[in-house]
Amino acid sequence: MNYLDIDKALVDITRAKCVACKERLDAVPKDKPGERKALLIENGMYTVCGNAGLLFNTYGNREGLYRTRQNFFNYILTKYPKHQEIYASLNNDEKFSFMAAWQADLFMRDQLLAGYITELAQAEAAGDAKNTFELRIKVGAVRAMLDIWATWRKENNIYPIEIKEE
C-alpha cells in the first residue's frame, strides 16, 4: 500500500465517522438540547481531526504537504522515540507511507489532545461542570478517532505501533 492509498483510507475513515455522528445528531429531536449539544461537539471534533490533522484539506496533494511539513513532523517524532527510530530506518518512499499513516495521529496528540486533557483536569479540579462536560466529549471524540486509525493501521499492518497514553 503506497502513501496515497494510506491517505485515502484515513480520509475515508474520518469522513465516515463524521457522517455517522451527523446522522446520530439528525436523529435527536430538537427538544433534547443537551444531547444535541453533546453530538454537535463530538461531530465538531471528528471534523477537526480531519481538518487540523490535515487529512481533508490536502487530500490528493499529499506529497507537497509532506515535503512542507517534514520539519514539523520531525519535531513531533522526537516525542515518540519508537516512531522516530522506525522512521529513520526507512527509505524515502517508505517515509512517505509512514507519514501518511502517522502524521495526523501524532499531530492531533501533540497539538490538541494533550491540551484538552490538561484543560479537563483543571475544569474537574475547579468543579466547572460546563467545561468538564464539553472537554470530556472533546477528549473522548479525539481518542475515539485515534483508536479507529490505530485499529485500521493494525488490521492492515501499516506501522501498527502502540502508543500508551500517560
Side-chain angles (χ1 to χ4, degrees):
M1 191 174 289
N2 70 30
Y3 75 95
L4 291 174
D5 297 327
I6 294 167
D7 190 53
K8 181 177 182 338
L10 292 174
V11 167
D12 291 347
I13 289 166
T14 307
R15 284 192 173 135
K17 189 70 171 168
C18 290
V19 167
C21 188
K22 177 76 168 78
E23 287 172 354
R24 288 183 9 239
L25 172 63
D26 291 344
V28 175
K30 302 256 191 256
D31 64 350
K32 295 190 177 194
E35 190 174 342
R36 290 185 59 77
K37 180 178 181 176
L39 286 167
L40 280 168
I41 294 168
E42 181 182 351
N43 192 51
M45 293 314 303
Y46 296 142
T47 302
V48 165
C49 287
N51 289 330
L54 298 175
L55 293 171
F56 294 166
N57 298 335
T58 55
Y59 176 65
N61 186 26
R62 299 309 277 186
E63 187 170 343
L65 167 78
Y66 295 145
R67 294 199 190 287
T68 60
R69 299 222 9 127
Q70 188 68 57
N71 288 338
F72 186 74
F73 187 70
N74 289 341
Y75 165 74
I76 289 176
L77 282 177
T78 64
K79 299 175 183 184
Y80 301 91
K82 188 185 294 185
H83 292 72
Q84 189 175 30
E85 181 182 331
I86 292 169
Y87 185 74
S89 73
L90 302 173
N91 67 39
N92 283 339
D93 289 340
E94 293 167 331
K95 284 182 178 179
F96 274 125
S97 293
F98 189 90
M99 283 183 73
W102 278 101
Q103 88 77 41
D105 186 298
L106 297 182
F107 181 84
M108 295 309 296
R109 288 175 192 280
D110 186 67
Q111 298 296 302
L112 195 69
L113 184 60
Y116 282 157
I117 290 170
T118 299
E119 288 179 44
L120 175 58
Q122 292 168 345
E124 288 174 336
D128 184 342
K130 179 183 181 280
N131 280 331
T132 297
F133 169 78
E134 290 182 10
L135 287 163
R136 281 184 181 159
I137 295 166
K138 289 178 179 182
V139 167
V142 173
R143 283 180 172 154
M145 191 84 270
L146 295 174
D147 287 346
I148 292 167
W149 292 340
T151 298
W152 179 85
R153 285 190 302 267
K154 186 175 182 178
E155 288 172 352
N156 291 278
N157 197 30
I158 307 290
Y159 306 107
I161 308 161
E162 276 192 51
I163 297 179
K164 300 282 185 208
E165 214 174 278
E166 297 175 19

